[in-house]
Amino acid sequence: MEQYTSEFQRAKEIRTNYFVVYDRIKTWIENAELTISNHNIDPSELKTKLVQLVHESQEVRTAYEQLVYYGNEIIKNSKHYNDQKAMQANMDQILFELSKTIQLIEDKNHTVDQILGNWANFMRVYQLVVEWSLKLRPLLDRKLQLNSLQEAQSARHQYANAVSSLTDVSQNLSEMNHEFDKINEVCSTGYLKNKLHEAETLKIDNETVLFERNLYLQETTEEWLQFEHKIKSVKEWIKESYSLLESADLKNKPLRDQLRILEQMLADVSAQKIKVNISLEKLQVHFHSEVIYTENPNIVHDGRIVIEDLEKLNRDVFQTTQNLDRALVQIEDCQSEMQAIRQRIVHEEQQLRNILSPLHQSSDSEKNEQECRERIRALQSHLNQINAKIKLLLQRGSPEE
């Protein structure tokens, strides 16, 4: 009886120990699976827990060996086949779950190592974006003082380089998003979401200012370059116009041709003034913004000087056209007078023929003939004087006072 009681107690203790160990292993498996499937912790914390699970897995394997010992004892002492079969199935199942869980831990541990690399790379690229923004800040915080075209071109070159750097920043942000998605598939991204948003905001804010200022500089530089070209070309045109105005080639032309050329020059002067004013106004618009300013008064002064030179040329050309107009009027008056004198000469010559005719001979014929001839000579002399005056007017191109 005592032996039976002792064996019964031993069998009961073995069965109790089996289920205690079984529950311990089962609980560990469930906790491990919860850890593996938990996406709400960051990779560093997950790595710590996985290392702990790897360490605990050795103890769990030892516990499983105890489980097998207890299970075999139960099978050996069991007299029912179904009980033996159930016990073996129970041990096989827990072994399958344990092996699977340990493999999952190893796989997860390897994945987390990769994720920690992704995390480190994310932060590295994030730092590149921050450094880019900090390096760019002095450029964007400084107002653009442009006192010469060279300064404007230099600033435009700086901003063009800054704009080109946006390509690298876009690639960095793309890489950050890629790393973020990989991390998010495995565990919590933690503060990375804020870092990603911060980097994207830095890029957008800087990009907006860069594009705006680069456009300002591009337009300003182009307008300034056009303005300087216009000033240079107008100065050359004024010089050429004065050369034409004083040239023998112009003065040798008929007065009406001269007048036509000079009237066209007056129209060209007006057109040049309009172009210079428009170019100057378009350039000045860019210096009235909140970003660009200048302390160089010569920009406006150069334009004003050219306009004054154009106005002087306009006065000189206008005075010449006035002289030509008056000269033409005097020539027309002289031509009318010459026509009248020629008619008088024809009349006097007719009178002379009548006097010389045998049919009209009288005692005063000789005296009348002499007087008629004197009048004809006086008229021809006057005609020659007017003709000389016309030639002089044509040569000088200006009226007699």
Side-chain angles (χ1 to χ4, degrees), residues 146-194:
L146 306 177
N147 293 325
S148 68
L149 176 59
Q150 289 72 27
E151 289 182 6
Q153 290 171 329
S154 176
R156 179 181 177 182
H157 180 69
Q158 283 183 311
Y159 271 84
N161 288 337
V163 168
S164 65
S165 70
L166 288 168
T167 302
D168 293 334
V169 176
S170 296
Q171 291 176 348
N172 289 337
L173 286 173
S174 177
E175 188 173 350
M176 287 175 68
N177 275 288
H178 179 70
E179 301 291 17
F180 182 87
D181 291 340
K182 280 190 172 181
I183 296 167
N184 195 45
E185 289 174 0
V186 176
C187 56
S188 170
T189 55
Y191 57 80
L192 295 190
K193 185 175 183 180
N194 290 335

Side-chain angles (χ1 to χ4, degrees), residues 70-82:
Y70 293 137
N72 288 335
E73 284 294 318
I74 293 172
I75 291 172
K76 183 174 67 175
N77 294 305
S78 177
K79 295 179 181 179
H80 299 287
Y81 173 76
N82 288 339

Side-chain angles (χ1 to χ4, degrees), residues 100-138:
K100 179 183 174 183
T101 300
I102 291 174
Q103 185 61 50
L104 286 174
I105 291 171
E106 292 176 355
D107 293 344
K108 190 75 169 184
N109 198 32
H110 177 70
T111 301
V112 170
D113 285 339
Q114 293 178 332
I115 292 302
L116 287 171
N118 297 131
W119 191 291
N121 189 51
F122 179 98
M123 292 305 298
R124 180 188 67 80
V125 178
Y126 162 78
Q127 194 59 39
L128 290 176
V129 176
V130 172
E131 289 172 0
W132 166 80
S133 179
L134 291 174
K135 184 179 178 181
L136 198 62
R137 207 66 252 162

